[in-house]
Amino acid sequence: MPILVISIITCYFALPDNAAVHHDENGNPDGFIDKQTFFYITSGVIIGFNFLLNLLKIQVKKIDFAKLNPTSIWANDRESLNALLEGWFNAFVAVVNTFIIFSLVALKRVNATDGQKLDMNYNWLLIIGLVILMFIIFFLPIKILYSNPEKEEQ
C-alpha cells in the first residue's frame, strides 16, 4: 500500500494539468482529465476498494463454514481455512494494487512524451493483469476442492 501511495503522489506531480487518458488509433490523445480530478478519483477508488475488501475479509472469516457444510474437511479445520482465506484476500488485494501501480506508471510515461502520444501498445498490461487476476480468483475454490488442510506437526 505505501508503494501505491507513492505512485499516486509521483504520478500527480509528473502529470501535466490535463492528462491524456484516451488515444485514437494513431496514438494521438483524444480524451483528457484534469490532474486534480484524476488524483481524487484514483485515491477514492483505491481507498474504497482496499477498505471494502478488508471489511469483506473480516466478515468472511467470521462465517462458521462447519455449519454450512459439516462434511467439509476445510470447514472443520477452522484455523487452516482462516489462514487460507487471509492469504487469498491479501494476494487478491496485492494483485489489484500492483496492477493499479503499473497502470499509473504507464499513464505517467505516456503523458511524459511530447504531445502525449501513445508511445507503445499497452494491451499486454491488460492481458497479463487479467490472467493473473483469473489465476488468483480460481485458486481458492480449486485449492479447497482438490486438497486437504495440512496437518500440523506436534
Side-chain angles (χ1 to χ4, degrees):
M1 187 75 169
I3 296 172
L4 187 58
V5 172
I6 291 169
S7 296
I8 293 172
I9 291 171
T10 57
C11 193
Y12 176 77
F13 288 115
L15 288 176
D17 288 334
N18 286 319
V21 292
H22 190 268
H23 295 79
D24 63 14
E25 61 274 352
N26 296 326
N28 298 317
D30 62 357
F32 296 90
I33 189 169
D34 182 51
K35 179 163 73 169
Q36 286 82 14
T37 304
F38 173 77
F39 175 75
Y40 290 124
I41 289 174
T42 305
S43 298
V45 166
I46 290 169
I47 290 169
F49 173 78
N50 283 283
F51 175 75
L52 290 175
L53 252 117
N54 194 36
L55 211 59
L56 181 63
K57 175 175 64 173
I58 291 167
Q59 295 306 315
V60 167
K61 287 174 66 177
K62 289 181 181 178
I63 296 173
D64 186 6
F65 290 100
K67 288 182 181 176
L68 293 174
N69 186 1
T71 61
S72 170
I73 297 171
W74 279 99
N76 291 319
D77 189 353
R78 179 108 180 148
E79 199 172 291
S80 294
L81 182 61
N82 279 344
L84 179 66
L85 290 171
E86 175 93 21
W88 183 84
F89 272 104
N90 291 341
F92 183 75
V93 170
V95 165
V96 172
N97 286 341
T98 303
F99 180 75
I100 291 171
I101 290 170
F102 282 125
S103 299
L104 290 171
V105 169
L107 184 69
K108 187 174 94 171
R109 182 177 164 162
V110 166
N111 282 284
T113 61
D114 289 332
Q116 297 172 315
K117 288 188 172 229
L118 197 58
D119 59 344
M120 63 183 274
N121 189 348
Y122 288 98
N123 288 344
W124 62 271
L125 181 63
L126 294 173
I127 293 168
I128 290 174
L130 181 65
V131 167
I132 294 171
L133 191 61
M134 295 301 288
F135 174 77
I136 293 294
I137 288 172
F138 288 111
F139 174 80
L140 183 65
I142 290 172
K143 172 94 173 162
I144 289 174
L145 285 174
Y146 295 109
S147 71
N148 293 328
E150 293 181 20
K151 302 290 183 209
E152 292 184 21
E153 300 289 326
Q154 293 180 352

